[in-house]
Amino acid sequence: MRPSILTLFFPCVLSLYLTRQEQKVVRWMPLGDSITDYGCWRAWIYLRLQNDPDLYDSVDLVGGEHAGEICDDSEFDRDHEGHPGFPAIQMANEGQLSEWLGKNPADVVTMHLGTVDIVRGRPRTEELLRAYTALVGQMRGRNPNIRIIVAQIIPLGLDAEKNEQVKELNRAIPTWAASQNTTASPIWAVDLFTGFDAEVDLYDGIHASPSGIQKIAEGFYPTLLTAIRDVQGVGSG
């Protein structure tokens, strides 16, 4: 007797269903200052992940903060650790990230930090990189296999001299990231600066306008997708 179509098809469907059910839910923590808290780039990324049939309901944003922006009435996971006015150096020195990760464990962290430090003063690039290193240590202290994505931060439109410091920091980040990279806990640097127009993509010289929000989201997304798939052990696709 020839097998029916259903006999042939059902095991494939069952296999796909079980694979989908067993797929690891990846916990993603957006970490930063007001540039992480404000705007809708997190919503843009979350909704795009939800629209991917391979990733639907497999990414959980985590953090103790819950931004209230409407974001075109979209329903999205609002959890994050974006803290307006928080300098990277202070965050590192106070060790609060370890506490945040203790309450809300993460598999992947996206980090955009340093803007507040530069706006408020003139810390040396080396000081900021030491703060980054301390934060990476706190992340790995909670999860030795955490995946970390560090932004080359967006421009400042307020002050040309301060924006030069942003550029200096950004030039140093890829080399720093490579020095901190490990097989168990990879670090990626993503360039959010190039192609970002401070006159158009910022609404107040610091925070992203709608066009800037889109650029932040598009800048983070491909590497975030790589990190998510790395956690799930399915490759970059």
Side-chain angles (χ1 to χ4, degrees), residues 214-233:
Q214 185 79 9
K215 288 180 179 179
I216 292 172
E218 290 174 349
F220 268 133
Y221 186 82
T223 306
L224 178 60
L225 194 60
T226 296
I228 290 167
R229 288 174 169 164
D230 192 46
V231 173
Q232 293 177 329

Side-chain angles (χ1 to χ4, degrees), residues 41-234:
W41 64 266
R42 290 176 290 102
W44 187 96
I45 290 176
Y46 178 78
L47 294 172
R48 185 169 177 183
L49 291 170
Q50 289 291 91
N51 286 329
D52 185 327
D54 294 328
L55 294 172
Y56 177 75
D57 269 358
S58 66
V59 179
D60 177 23
L61 275 77
V62 297
E65 302 299 309
H66 314 281
E69 293 201 40
I70 295 174
C71 299
D72 298 325
D73 296 320
S74 58
E75 292 294 326
F76 70 100
D77 190 339
R78 296 175 181 270
D79 300 337
H80 66 97
E81 289 290 355
H83 296 265
F86 220 132
I89 293 172
Q90 179 185 347
M91 188 181 292
N93 289 343
E94 294 182 355
Q96 289 173 303
L97 177 57
S98 182
E99 296 179 19
W100 299 337
L101 285 165
K103 294 175 181 176
N104 296 288
D107 303 298
V108 179
V109 172
T110 54
M111 186 173 88
H112 186 292
L113 275 170
T115 302
V116 175
D117 304 75
I118 293 172
V119 168
R120 290 186 178 179
R122 291 194 53 77
R124 296 190 307 276
T125 293
E126 292 78 9
E127 292 179 274
L128 286 167
L129 295 180
R130 280 198 296 271
Y132 284 6
T133 300
L135 292 168
V136 167
Q138 292 170 33
M139 294 177 203
R140 288 174 173 165
R142 289 294 184 178
N143 177 2
N145 300 309
I146 200 164
R147 277 67 167 179
I148 304 163
I149 301 169
V150 179
Q152 292 168 275
I153 63 176
I154 64 174
L156 282 170
L158 298 172
D159 183 306
E161 187 176 355
K162 291 184 183 297
N163 199 48
E164 285 302 313
Q165 190 175 4
V166 169
K167 292 178 184 179
E168 181 182 318
L169 173 63
N170 284 341
R171 284 192 295 267
I173 285 174
T175 300
W176 168 84
S179 75
Q180 298 293 313
N181 190 58
T182 70
T183 301
S185 175
I187 296 182
W188 295 269
V190 297
D191 184 1
L192 300 188
F193 185 95
T194 302
F196 205 101
D197 185 339
E199 293 187 5
V200 176
D201 298 326
L202 300 174
Y203 67 81
D204 61 356
I206 299 175
H207 301 100
S209 67
S211 62
I213 286 166
Q214 185 79 9
K215 288 180 179 179
I216 292 172
E218 290 174 349
F220 268 133
Y221 186 82
T223 306
L224 178 60
L225 194 60
T226 296
I228 290 167
R229 288 174 169 164
D230 192 46
V231 173
Q232 293 177 329
V234 296

